[in-house]
Amino acid sequence: MLAKRIIPCLDVRDGKVVKGVNFEGIKDVGDPVEYAKKYNLQGADELVFYDITASHEGRKYMIDLVKQVAENIFIPFCVGGGISTVLDFKNTLRAGADKVSINSSAVKNPELITQAAKIFGNQCIVLGVDAKRNKEGGYSVFANGGRQDMSLDLIAWVKEAEKLGAGEICLNSMDADGTKNGFDIDMINDVCKNVSIPVIASGGCGKLEDFYEVFEKTNASAALAASVFHFGELTVRQVKEYLNKKGINVRA
Amino acid sequence: MSMKIGIIDYGAGNLFSVKNALSFIGVESAIISDKVDIEKADALILPGVGAFGDSVNMLREKGLFDSVKANAVKKPFLGICLGMQLLFTKSYEYGETKGLDLISGDVVKMESKSLSIPHMGWNELEIKQDSSLLKGLEKSTYVYFVHSYMARCDEANIIAECDYGGRVPAIVKKGNVFGVQFHPEKSGDAGLVILKNFAELV
């Protein structure tokens, strides 16, 4: 059976990895290839590079980054952030990425999912979703990095996206994100129950037990985390050894 | 210039990731697209992503179908993913299409009520037969799969399989013709070991 995947996520600005942002600005900047090598060595099953570049000019560095990573790291990797056209997909995949993640651009233009899936295959289309609990007891989808409420129901959206051709869903709970109190089990379960494509759980991970909980209590195929890995609180290796001991099927 | 491994370019597939992986382990390779180079190469890799029928058509249109078939039996040959499926007699992807018929068998759609298709992710190899391709691998080896169709063939040709709602051939072999359903160029260290083992057959 398929192993549960552990996926470190790296934020990228102007082609460099950004480790974290605080009030003084960017805390630390690094070479994407070095980070990718480190996580690969630790046993990461996949990597996500997320472009947070604000300027249009800065985006061109992403393609060079993808090429460099593809020449040095031989595990699947996904690229997201600022991808909004079929041409963006093509350039990113050609440079060596295996998957492309779209979020706001898919909400605003759902047809993009189908167009890209037809040309490149469902397997490389990852739908990123940022969602938050609403007053009605459901979840609402947000765009533009969580800044814009799209008045769109999460469950309706993920079902629609699956139909349109998305191959995976990377579900980020805005309620859990940054809390380090664990993944949003209820939200993940609601999404898993409603789609048959793989769901990647994101947001809220702060300790070893959180990884176990998400795989024990939900059908998530993968767990994505950023800060616990970046700041060296945990290594991917530690997470896998722990999960293995707890009887979760992971790649050693 | 002596060329070691020729990666056959027939218009499909992610050729560069295979070439990148070979370069990384110090194996010389070239992306080739004509008969002369196929003839000259010491070993051949047939990559592939896409549909079976389209790929056979592209091989035929480029006049490479017969050349690939003839050279596959003369030197170490490795089909990757769709490139492995092309080794078989026929496929039922979008209607019946004849393959290279280097190994007897057919290619059928994977079906599962409870598991998602494509079969995508890291799955464990279950070794059925010893093979030079497996030399130096850990006892438990996970490799990376992305596919919706699978081969059906004689047990004698199956080196390794994996479990995904049933047995799925993962490594097949007949003589010096090998096929891997997974992507060794995306399977981390295990994948690089398999590619290195293949290169050492030359």
Side-chain angles (χ1 to χ4, degrees):
Chain A
M1 292 309 302
L2 289 182
K4 298 290 186 182
R5 287 171 282 156
I6 304 297
I7 308 176
C9 176
L10 299 143
D11 283 340
V12 175
R13 181 134 104 185
D14 299 329
K16 294 267 191 291
V17 167
V18 175
K19 226 166 143 183
V21 180
N22 63 11
F23 295 110
E24 287 115 58
I26 292 168
K27 239 181 179 175
D28 198 358
V29 177
D31 176 0
V33 175
E34 289 310 311
Y35 276 96
K37 274 184 182 165
K38 183 176 89 175
Y39 289 134
N40 177 45
L41 215 61
Q42 290 179 8
D45 297 301
E46 208 165 307
L47 297 171
V48 173
F49 291 94
Y50 196 79
D51 195 358
I52 58 164
T53 304
S55 68
H56 188 69
E57 306 83 68
R59 294 220 181 271
K60 61 176 185 286
Y61 297 113
M62 199 63 184
I63 294 297
D64 292 333
L65 178 155
V66 173
K67 281 186 187 154
Q68 285 171 40
V69 171
E71 280 167 14
N72 289 283
I73 307 298
F74 303 97
I75 57 173
F77 69 99
C78 176
V79 171
I83 287 173
S84 56
T85 65
V86 167
L87 185 63
D88 292 337
F89 267 87
K90 189 177 176 184
N91 291 338
T92 308
L93 293 168
R94 262 218 187 143
D98 301 280
K99 301 176 184 182
V100 169
S101 166
I102 45 175
N103 187 326
S104 304
S105 58
V107 177
K108 290 168 188 166
N109 173 24
E111 189 55 28
L112 177 63
I113 301 175
T114 312
Q115 289 167 348
K118 273 199 184 137
I119 302 171
F120 309 108
N122 313 56
Q123 81 287 340
C124 66
I125 320 289
V126 181
L127 179 80
V129 187
D130 289 309
K132 198 174 169 173
R133 277 169 184 72
N134 56 33
K135 285 179 208 138
E136 290 77 42
Y139 308 100
S140 300
V141 174
F142 283 69
N144 295 336
R147 287 189 293 272
Q148 192 181 355
D149 187 341
M150 299 304 287
S151 311
L152 181 62
D153 176 64
L154 170 65
I155 302 304
W157 173 230
V158 292
K159 283 166 91 163
E160 156 109 7
E162 178 177 30
K163 242 185 252 164
L164 291 170
E168 273 183 299
I169 288 169
C170 183
L171 177 64
N172 183 49
S173 164
M174 292 165 63
D175 296 318
D177 201 11
T179 65
K180 297 203 163 194
N181 283 331
F183 291 97
D184 194 333
I185 302 299
D186 291 339
M187 188 191 283
I188 297 161
N189 270 328
D190 277 355
V191 169
C192 287
K193 265 179 227 153
N194 282 286
V195 296
S196 60
I197 52 179
V199 174
I200 302 165
S202 162
C205 177
K207 53 189 183 303
L208 278 176
E209 291 77 8
D210 297 338
F211 287 98
Y212 177 65
E213 189 188 31
V214 77
F215 292 131
E216 182 61 18
K217 293 188 180 164
T218 80
N219 275 325
S221 303
L224 179 140
S227 60
V228 286
F229 295 135
H230 297 336
F231 297 108
E233 294 159 37
L234 293 173
T235 65
V236 178
R237 178 74 54 214
Q238 274 177 306
V239 173
K240 289 194 150 185
E241 279 169 3
Y242 170 80
L243 290 174
N244 192 30
K245 262 187 219 150
K246 298 286 260 180
I248 303 288
N249 178 20
V250 287
R251 180 177 72 111
Chain B
M1 191 183 78
S2 81
M3 179 219 305
K4 204 176 181 190
I5 295 185
I7 303 167
I8 302 166
D9 175 12
Y10 54 98
N14 189 356
L15 307 162
F16 291 101
S17 57
V18 176
K19 187 162 182 9
N20 281 338
L22 290 171
S23 309
F24 190 80
I25 55 175
V27 172
E28 205 184 312
S29 67
I31 290 174
I32 58 173
S33 55
D34 68 55
K35 286 184 216 175
V36 179
D37 287 335
I38 289 177
E39 216 39 80
K40 276 199 297 199
D42 298 317
L44 292 167
I45 290 182
L46 185 65
V49 174
F52 193 99
D54 288 347
S55 298
V56 169
N57 287 340
M58 283 192 276
L59 277 172
R60 287 195 191 276
E61 274 164 27
K62 290 184 185 281
L64 299 179
F65 190 91
D66 294 330
S67 161
V68 168
K69 194 169 156 70
N71 278 277
V73 292
K74 290 192 219 160
K75 44 195 142 196
F77 190 95
L78 177 67
I80 296 175
C81 196
L82 179 69
M84 159 185 155
Q85 297 179 357
L86 291 169
L87 302 176
F88 290 94
T89 316
K90 61 186 168 183
S91 165
Y92 296 99
E93 184 174 2
Y94 300 114
E96 194 179 316
T97 312
K98 285 201 171 100
L100 291 162
D101 199 20
L102 291 159
I103 304 178
S104 296
D106 54 13
V107 177
V108 296
K109 176 114 181 118
M110 298 178 80
E111 279 174 52
S112 171
K113 283 195 181 105
S114 55
L115 299 168
S116 53
I117 306 291
H119 170 217
M120 176 169 65
W122 296 85
N123 208 333
E124 192 174 13
L125 289 179
E126 292 170 28
I127 311 299
K128 298 285 149 187
Q129 287 181 51
D130 201 18
S131 166
S132 43
L133 228 49
L134 303 171
K135 202 174 58 188
L137 283 183
E138 304 272 331
K139 208 167 180 197
S140 164
T141 297
Y142 282 82
V143 287
Y144 189 76
F145 290 85
V146 184
H147 64 121
S148 304
Y149 284 75
M150 58 174 264
R152 284 192 310 199
C153 65
D154 199 287
E155 294 259 323
N157 297 120
I158 298 176
I159 300 292
E161 50 190 25
C162 69
D163 174 21
Y164 195 69
R167 289 153 173 265
V168 177
I171 305 179
V172 295
K173 176 187 190 276
K174 188 180 176 190
N176 54 287
V177 175
F178 292 90
V180 291
Q181 180 61 73
F182 53 90
H183 287 275
E185 75 282 13
K186 287 289 168 183
S187 294
D189 290 344
L192 297 178
V193 168
I194 290 168
L195 287 174
K196 182 119 190 134
N197 287 340
F198 175 71
E200 279 169 6
L201 296 174
V202 178

